Amino acid sequence: MEGSITVAYLQRYIRSKDHNPGHEMDYFLKLIEEVGELSSMIYSGAPHARGDQIKGTIEEELWDVLYYTLALANLYGVDLERWIPVKEAINNQRYNPGVQFGEELASLPKP
């Protein structure tokens, strides 16, 4: 895939392969399970991914948490790209980190 992956793309991608209205609680329980697995990985000091080896890593569990978060957003009809800037404006008023959402990405540190 060329370029950056957007939240909108991820939501469309997940919706195209995994969208089961009426099963919101199942997705929520899966999200909780994945958060627990991430917690275990962090607590145990799990390794980071190397190359394409992601199994049993923090990266794997972070993706699983993000996946089920986006799947839930889809089930509830939430356009996260619309609401992320709104929520970040609230967060920035409250916590004022000195970095404003929407700032040019080149000036922000890479993960």
Side-chain angles (χ1 to χ4, degrees):
M1 177 175 188
E2 290 288 321
S4 298
I5 297 172
T6 66
V7 173
Y9 172 82
L10 289 173
Q11 280 194 252
R12 286 191 313 270
Y13 170 72
I14 290 168
R15 183 183 175 94
S16 73
K17 66 184 230 160
D18 189 1
H19 186 74
N20 297 294
H23 293 270
E24 289 81 359
M25 186 55 71
D26 296 331
Y27 283 87
F28 179 66
L29 292 173
K30 190 66 177 160
L31 173 61
I32 292 169
E33 176 186 333
E34 297 301 342
V35 168
E37 291 176 7
L38 175 60
S39 174
S40 293
M41 289 288 178
I42 291 170
Y43 183 74
S44 70
H48 285 283
R50 290 179 185 243
D52 289 337
Q53 302 302 313
I54 195 172
K55 197 73 179 149
T57 65
I58 289 172
E59 288 84 353
E60 177 184 24
E61 298 309 329
L62 283 169
W63 167 244
D64 291 344
V65 168
L66 183 57
Y67 181 99
Y68 284 102
T69 299
L70 296 170
L72 277 168
N74 287 340
L75 290 173
Y76 284 101
V78 175
D79 175 359
L80 286 172
E81 281 204 349
R82 158 110 172 70
W83 293 108
I84 288 170
V86 173
K87 178 59 174 144
E88 274 305 292
I90 293 167
N91 290 349
N92 286 339
Q93 285 177 350
R94 187 169 181 185
Y95 303 110
N96 193 14
V99 176
Q100 295 301 309
F101 190 82
E103 196 174 303
E104 182 59 40
L105 292 179
S107 67
L108 298 176
K110 289 187 178 190

